[in-house]
Amino acid sequence: ASFSALFALGSLLSNLFGTQVYGKLTARRQSDVILGFNLAGCALVSVLAWHSSQQQLVLSALSRGLLLALVLLWGFAWALPFYIPAGVMALQLGGVHHAALLTNLFDAAGNLAGAAFSFPAGRCGSLGGRHWFPILAALAVANGVAGLTMRLAMPQEAAAKDKDKQN
């Protein structure tokens, strides 16, 4: 199994099972879950970054299995905060008629950022070993910043919804 396939599998599992649970939570619990998933992603990528900095030339079966599990879990932790809040926001802003357009615009922006990031990431990755460290460290920082900013924004959004319901 390749590392990228396991990341995608983790993302798929997160979307399949996470959305069912996420929709049943209160707004406060949803923001807690998003923070937790982003911080888990930050921790998982930090472990991967640390491992890449060790520049192990040969991976043992245990080490390879652990790395594969970490990548699967990272995909799981990454998908829910990335897809669910953006989809909910698209529905709120665009309604049923324009939600697809907004979702496509979000995806296009994400794909554009991913494409821009893939050039330096691909260059570092092709060098192997320790050269993965700056890429993984940047992803760990991005997960941490996303978690904190989403955690700050989501309770304010929930409070605004509650206020609208009262009026």
Side-chain angles (χ1 to χ4, degrees), residues 35 68 79 90 105 119 133-134 164:
L35 175 64
L68 291 171
L105 290 174
F119 289 111
F133 179 79
D164 287 343

Side-chain angles (χ1 to χ4, degrees), residues 3 6 47-48 50-51 56 58-71:
F3 288 99
L6 284 172
V47 171
L48 291 170
W50 171 82
H51 188 276
Q56 295 177 351
V58 178
L59 293 173
S60 68
L62 177 63
S63 179
R64 182 168 176 78
L66 179 61
L67 287 176
L68 291 171
L70 287 173
V71 171

Side-chain angles (χ1 to χ4, degrees), residues 1-163:
S2 76
F3 288 99
S4 60
L6 284 172
F7 181 88
L9 178 61
S11 296
L12 175 68
L13 292 172
S14 180
N15 282 321
L16 286 176
F17 300 112
T19 53
Q20 295 174 4
V21 174
Y22 184 84
K24 296 176 183 176
L25 299 174
T26 65
R28 171 66 183 196
R29 293 295 299 153
Q30 287 176 348
S31 66
D32 291 343
V33 166
I34 294 299
L35 175 64
F37 270 64
N38 272 307
L39 293 180
C42 180
L44 290 165
V45 178
S46 296
V47 171
L48 291 170
W50 171 82
H51 188 276
S52 74
S53 73
Q54 302 304 305
Q55 196 173 10
Q56 295 177 351
L57 298 176
V58 178
L59 293 173
S60 68
L62 177 63
S63 179
R64 182 168 176 78
L66 179 61
L67 287 176
L68 291 171
L70 287 173
V71 171
L72 177 80
L73 291 172
W74 176 32
F76 191 89
W78 174 83
L80 189 76
F82 181 79
Y83 287 109
I84 305 302
V88 170
M89 188 172 95
L91 276 171
Q92 290 172 347
L93 292 176
V96 290
H97 299 293
H98 302 291
L101 172 65
L102 289 174
T103 301
N104 288 338
L105 290 174
F106 292 154
D107 282 345
N111 289 328
L112 181 62
F117 187 74
S118 69
F119 289 111
R123 176 74 176 125
C124 289
S126 68
L127 298 172
R130 291 180 179 218
H131 299 285
W132 273 106
F133 179 79
I135 299 303
L136 293 169
L139 291 170
V141 169
N143 265 122
V145 168
L148 295 175
T149 54
M150 291 175 81
R151 179 66 175 92
L152 292 173
M154 290 179 75
Q156 292 174 354
E157 179 185 349
K161 283 184 207 174
D162 290 343
K163 186 177 179 182

